[in-house]
Amino acid sequence: MIETLSHRDQLELVTLGESMVLLHAADSRGLEYASTVQKSFGGAESNVAIGLSRLGHRSSWMSLLGDDPYGHYVVKAIRGEGVDVSRVQHIGGSPTGIMLRESVGGRSSVYYYRKHSAASTLQPDMLDASFIQSARMLHVTGITCALNDNCASTVEAAVRIAKDAGRKVSFDPNLRLKLWSIEEARARLLPLAHECDYFLPGLDELKLLYNTDDERHIFKQLAMIPAVCIVKGGIEQGRGVNYVVRGSQVDEVPYQPVEHVLDTVGAGDAFCAGVLSGLLRGYEPVEAVQLGNVSGAMVVQAVGDWEALPTWKQVQASLTNSIHIER
């Protein structure tokens, strides 16, 4: 395992995508009957940027937000987590997106109010190519692609900019079928998987994208992707595992044991942040996935999209089983 941050003064990761204000019903009666809601924010890309910042990396998040109270709240909160937001713009005439969440009967539901949001107006010519090229890695997700064709083209342009400069590209499909059809998703996401260096899908997402439950067929498809494929959510001999797929080689990485699961929201972004932290530190992919497993396991033991993302010190303590002294 290589442990180095020799590029510490360089921007290590840049990402782009929509972050929205999150309004969560404060009790189990759901949004229809709850008298109060709790305010936060969420977005897969900004969650990953915060996760990398907490793990000791220089990260940046690029986006558009409304020139409204929610937009200013979101950018201040993300800046407060040590993430560079110098390429975030507030624009008039388009609002900051909103998502509502409720948990009723043990089931969580999310409702999006993001049509015509500021972030949905992203265009390829808005990208700062030199800024993307200044980072060691670009991270993108399929959520931005799902917003509309212009947003998808913006993601594809960002990937080309990074690749032309010899930078690494990480891609999490983050399939959201509330935003587009599976046919539309396949047409955009599968070609992107062949352009990236690290592809981080869930096994359930791959079954939808490849239209099959045959895992052997899925892994044959992954073997033809040049990227290192890191697949979440497998089951082997009754235990949860993630897979690292490099051509015909498939390595299994067991989940980190968790005693008390409180909230699985944000676990995927925490896992992604841990994996990318490992890769940026020079870890081999299997070791990076082990780090991602630890990060994800820590997040599911607390409530929130990004609030429980661990620091590097906390991850190290978990890895070494350090004893916490309360007083």
Side-chain angles (χ1 to χ4, degrees), residues 261-325:
V261 177
L262 293 180
D263 185 5
T264 59
V265 173
D269 297 333
F271 171 80
C272 182
V275 169
L276 298 184
S277 175
L279 294 171
L280 288 166
R281 291 173 184 271
Y283 291 14
E284 289 298 312
V286 168
E287 296 171 317
V289 172
Q290 290 170 339
L291 180 58
N293 284 346
V294 171
S295 182
M298 296 178 77
V299 163
V300 300
Q301 298 178 75
V303 176
D305 272 44
W306 57 270
E307 290 85 348
L309 287 165
T311 65
W312 181 243
K313 183 178 180 180
Q314 289 170 327
V315 167
Q316 285 183 308
S318 177
L319 288 170
T320 59
N321 294 315
S322 298
I323 298 174
H324 171 63
I325 300 175

Side-chain angles (χ1 to χ4, degrees), residues 200-255:
L200 291 88
L203 186 57
D204 56 343
E205 293 174 317
L206 292 173
K207 290 178 180 180
L208 291 167
L209 288 171
Y210 288 120
N211 195 28
T212 180
D213 288 328
D214 185 344
E215 294 184 11
R216 289 176 298 178
H217 175 73
I218 289 171
F219 283 101
K220 286 181 181 178
Q221 295 297 315
L222 294 178
M224 294 186 285
I225 294 177
V228 176
C229 301
I230 296 169
V231 182
K232 301 162 281 188
I235 300 291
E236 297 290 343
Q237 300 179 347
R239 66 176 183 174
V241 299
N242 296 316
Y243 304 99
V244 177
V245 183
R246 290 167 284 188
S248 60
Q249 179 181 343
V250 180
D251 295 301
E252 299 173 9
V253 186
Y255 287 178

Side-chain angles (χ1 to χ4, degrees), residues 158-180:
V159 170
R160 287 194 298 271
I161 289 169
K163 295 295 290 182
D164 288 347
R167 304 308 186 214
K168 298 295 185 183
V169 175
S170 163
F171 173 47
D172 186 339
N174 258 314
L175 189 60
R176 297 289 189 270
L177 294 183
K178 283 191 175 183
L179 300 179
W180 56 356

Side-chain angles (χ1 to χ4, degrees), residues 56-130:
H57 301 270
R58 290 192 62 209
S59 63
S60 180
W61 169 69
M62 302 187 296
S63 190
L64 299 177
L65 292 166
D67 189 12
D68 51 37
Y70 281 158
H72 292 285
Y73 157 70
V74 169
V75 78
K76 287 176 182 177
I78 295 173
R79 181 192 296 124
E81 288 294 327
V83 176
D84 173 83
V85 292
S86 62
R87 268 53 180 185
V88 175
Q89 298 180 50
H90 295 280
I91 61 174
S94 297
T96 300
I98 298 174
M99 60 178 166
L100 307 178
R101 180 178 294 140
E102 64 180 2
S103 298
V104 180
R107 174 177 293 181
S108 293
S109 298
V110 177
Y111 306 91
Y112 298 111
Y113 293 83
R114 66 199 314 174
K115 190 174 183 180
H116 304 306
S117 68
S120 72
T121 67
L122 278 168
Q123 302 274 353
D125 60 8
M126 294 179 178
L127 295 172
D128 184 336
S130 62

